[in-house]
Amino acid sequence: SLPFAPPGGPTHGPTFYRFNVTAFSPVDTFLRLDGCRKGYVWLNGFALGRYWSDMGPQKTLYVPWALVQPGPNELVVLDLFP
């Protein structure tokens, strides 16, 4: 079991966050991680990719419709520098 931190709470070092996102229908979309510097993202157990906001130019991660389930979806973020 991973030690998930509450969003916005104080953290020290690499931190896992877990969010439940509800989708009404599967559609292609993008995920923007404002406030996060460098890390990895998973949606429903599938690795969406990594992000490094300070280096750019990429500001979003593509989320294909096939990964989005109608109803609740689990989004996990590993922020290496919270």
Side-chain angles (χ1 to χ4, degrees), residues 13-43:
T15 305
F16 282 98
Y17 299 98
R18 179 173 38 201
F19 304 93
N20 289 311
V21 180
T22 301
F24 297 104
S25 64
V27 295
D28 289 337
T29 189
F30 292 89
L31 178 65
R32 185 172 176 137
L33 296 161
D34 291 339
C36 296
R37 290 179 47 203
K38 182 179 182 182
Y40 299 86
V41 179
W42 295 265
L43 179 65

Side-chain angles (χ1 to χ4, degrees), residues 2 6 9 13-14 20 22 26 36 42 52 59-60 62 66 68 70 75 81:
L2 295 173
N20 289 311
T22 301
C36 296
W42 295 265
W52 195 350
K59 297 293 182 188
T60 60
Y62 173 64
V68 180
L75 181 69
F81 300 102

